[in-house]
Amino acid sequence: MRKILTGLAWMLGAAAPAWAAPDASEQIQYDSFVTAAGASNGAARACGASEPDLAQHQATARKNLLQYAREYGFAAGGYDALFKKGQAEGKTMMDEMKRSGVDGCRGVLGGFQNERVMDYEDMKKALAEVNDGLPGEDAN
């Protein structure tokens, strides 16, 4: 039934509904959003963010990104591993910047603090901006 409705919507020129299965490139993009959230967390840790702030950021990212996965049909079984991978990458990136004499902590912590309290709709708008629309929508 889902395929029929999706095909009918396509024939009528409508964007694919939000519940249409994402394609492989959209899944890769979702996975990169999870990894990026982890990287923000790991970078903030390397810059001295407090444990309560780190925990709140992790919980907010998890809540928002899993809701996004449910809404758009993304596979999220690997969420925790991707977030953890991102944490390690973010820490490594900040450590390398510090070694090269670049202090990126101000920018990292500013973005981190915003993400820490971001509600779902704001996160969704931000993801739509960097992804030229939401899954199933044509880029404008």
Side-chain angles (χ1 to χ4, degrees):
M1 180 67 163
R2 184 179 260 178
K3 285 182 181 181
I4 293 169
L5 291 175
T6 302
L8 181 59
W10 176 80
M11 287 189 302
L12 296 174
W19 43 261
D23 64 27
S25 68
E26 288 174 322
Q27 180 66 49
I28 290 167
Q29 185 67 53
Y30 171 78
D31 291 348
S32 75
F33 291 150
V34 175
T35 304
S40 178
N41 191 279
R45 178 178 299 279
C47 288
S50 72
E51 287 301 321
D53 284 357
L54 291 163
Q56 183 182 18
H57 177 272
Q58 188 169 355
T60 299
R62 181 180 186 77
K63 177 183 73 69
N64 287 342
L65 287 167
L66 290 178
Q67 181 176 343
Y68 190 81
R70 283 189 302 275
E71 183 173 346
Y72 292 101
F74 292 107
Y79 181 93
D80 292 327
L82 288 170
F83 191 89
K84 185 176 245 86
K85 175 185 174 209
Q87 284 176 312
E89 290 174 359
K91 180 185 180 316
T92 298
M93 177 189 68
M94 291 312 299
D95 290 345
E96 289 173 1
M97 287 178 73
K98 288 176 185 177
R99 276 193 296 279
S100 69
V102 176
D103 183 8
C105 284
R106 177 183 237 166
V108 163
L109 291 172
F112 168 80
Q113 291 298 339
N114 183 49
E115 293 167 12
R116 182 174 66 83
V117 295
M118 187 175 278
D119 69 24
Y120 176 69
E121 289 303 319
D122 286 339
M123 183 221 56
K124 197 161 99 168
K125 286 177 194 169
L127 296 183
E129 284 180 25
V130 300
N131 204 33
D132 293 329
L134 294 169
E137 292 181 345
D138 289 330
N140 294 332

